[in-house]
Amino acid sequence: MINGYAELSRMAFGYATSQILYTAVRLGVPDALAAGAMPIDELARSIGADPRALERLSRALVVLGVVDEVAPGHLALAALGQPLRADHPWSMRSSVLLLGDPATWQAWGALTHSVRTGEAAFDHVHDQPLFDYLAGHHDLSRIFNTAMCEGTERVALEAARAYDFTGARTVVDIGGGNGTLLAAILAATPSAQGILYDTADGVAAAAGTFQQAGLSDRCSVEVGDFFEAVPEGDLMLLKGVLHDWDDQRCTALLRNCRASIATGGRLLILEPVLPSRLDTPEAAGVVMSDIAMLIYTGGWERSRAEFHDLLAAGGFDLTDVTPPLRGSAIRILVADPS
């Protein structure tokens, strides 16, 4: 057999693994098994599936390590599959639903178009940019926003530990979704006030986030377009925003930040940084994210040098870059007004 054949076969079949997970989550298999083991026939009735077809799917889930067959015909959710539950504290449910959705899957199928042209595959497949498409498809928009929040939950506490927010008076989270990151920072900085700024869809769940964290009296929510203007503050956050856009759009956003930042203020960017070497621990995650940006928006992950030049064009000096946050490829880039 050709050396590496099995590994190449596994890679080539990767889309099948994604669809197996997506189907299990969409049918509600992890949530149905959350309370304990269940016979396949009973599970099929509870989720509205064909018993024979579900048995075949379950075999794949067992091989993947997501589900355990604890007795013949009886399934239990394995430790690996626990984050696929909707109620798991580190849930990946919406992330799996987003990646496996037909709109997303079809865009990945047009990667060849992106590589040939440099254009976003999503635009090519759906005849409109990602965020315009989401605005007209509210179910997918809700999944998208929840998936973004799932990713933020996994790094918010680490970000609050990695940077000293003491002294910040007004923290403005630009494009901050449901406020998960801002809530973690405000909890670590009792003297600060917060402003969450995003689209109406983006902030739809923010009030609940701040209420649950006991921060409703310290944080306001504003709706708007960050390419037009951003609220004033002395510490501004951009997490996972710049990699969505080309340099021209990013420069416009950064200039808006520069116009609204208080004297002595600071900008923090939380994004992966493309490493100079591809044998570093975080390289795989950054490279895959870079391909995703090519497909979804036409944006890209940037190197430290590219961030330096981009920030300079927007009126900022890059002063520091932290190591990757624990369990993530995301770094904090610190920038001061120039």
Side-chain angles (χ1 to χ4, degrees):
M1 181 177 290
I2 299 172
N3 186 35
Y5 181 90
E7 180 66 11
L8 286 173
S9 180
R10 183 190 64 81
M11 292 181 187
F13 221 62
Y15 73 90
T17 300
S18 176
Q19 284 299 305
I20 289 166
L21 292 179
Y22 170 79
T23 299
V25 170
R26 188 174 181 188
L27 290 174
V29 171
D31 292 324
L33 294 177
M38 187 180 297
I40 289 179
D41 287 351
E42 182 181 339
L43 177 61
R45 286 193 298 272
S46 71
I47 64 174
D50 177 81
R52 175 60 176 154
L54 180 61
E55 181 182 14
R56 298 167 73 178
L57 179 71
S58 69
R59 287 198 291 261
L61 294 171
V62 169
V63 168
L64 292 173
V66 172
V67 166
D68 290 328
E69 189 175 28
V70 294
H74 286 65
L75 303 177
L77 193 61
L80 180 63
Q82 294 294 332
L84 298 178
R85 291 167 22 216
D87 62 349
H88 193 275
W90 302 107
S91 179
M92 291 183 63
R93 179 179 182 275
S94 290
S95 297
V96 171
L97 289 175
L98 177 63
L99 289 169
D101 188 88
T104 307
W105 191 25
Q106 290 161 16
W108 276 92
L111 175 59
T112 302
H113 172 82
S114 287
V115 175
R116 281 178 172 160
T117 66
E119 301 170 354
F122 196 97
D123 299 31
H124 174 69
V125 170
H126 298 292
D127 296 322
Q128 59 182 322
L130 170 65
F131 295 111
D132 291 350
Y133 184 92
L134 292 175
H137 295 78
H138 296 293
D139 287 345
L140 184 58
S141 178
R142 176 180 49 80
I143 291 171
F144 176 87
N145 288 321
T146 305
M148 296 304 101
C149 294
E150 287 176 355
T152 299
E153 286 173 351
R154 292 190 283 273
V155 302
L157 295 177
E158 293 303 319
R161 295 187 186 110
Y163 182 84
D164 183 5
F165 291 89
T166 304
R169 300 181 301 277
T170 303
V171 181
V172 183
D173 190 355
I174 302 163
N178 78 340
T180 296
L181 176 61
L182 184 56
I185 290 170
L186 292 181
T189 318
S191 61
Q193 298 289 313
I195 300 173
L196 179 68
Y197 187 68
D198 207 332
T199 63
D201 283 347
V203 302
T209 300
F210 297 133
Q211 183 177 12
Q212 184 175 4
L215 296 168
S216 298
D217 60 337
R218 292 174 52 202
C219 192
S220 62
V221 177
E222 298 187 21
V223 173
D225 182 347
F226 50 55
F227 289 120
E228 295 180 358
V230 299
E232 295 181 357
D234 64 295
L235 195 149
M236 295 187 172
L237 306 173
L238 287 170
K239 181 194 173 294
V241 173
L242 296 181
H243 69 177
D244 286 337
W245 307 101
D246 60 26
D247 285 350
Q248 182 178 0
R249 300 281 271 176
C250 288
T251 299
L253 169 55
L254 290 170
R255 287 175 178 167
N256 287 339
C257 294
R258 181 65 181 86
S260 296
I261 201 165
T263 302
R266 177 161 279 183
L267 171 68
L268 302 185
I269 297 167
L270 285 78
E271 287 198 3
V273 176
L274 196 65
S276 57
R277 295 174 57 92
L278 297 179
D279 56 358
T280 57
E282 77 273 19
V286 182
V287 168
M288 291 301 291
S289 180
D290 185 51
I291 295 295
M293 294 304 102
L294 173 62
I295 288 170
Y296 295 144
T297 67
W300 55 83
E301 303 298 354
R302 293 172 170 88
S303 66
R304 179 169 181 154
E306 288 172 325
F307 271 116
H308 176 277
D309 293 345
L310 184 65
L311 285 161
F316 290 90
D317 292 326
L318 178 61
T319 58
D320 191 23
V321 180
T322 70
L325 300 181
R326 187 172 59 177
S328 168
I330 291 176
R331 298 171 183 258
I332 301 177
L333 296 96
V334 182
D336 295 327
S338 53

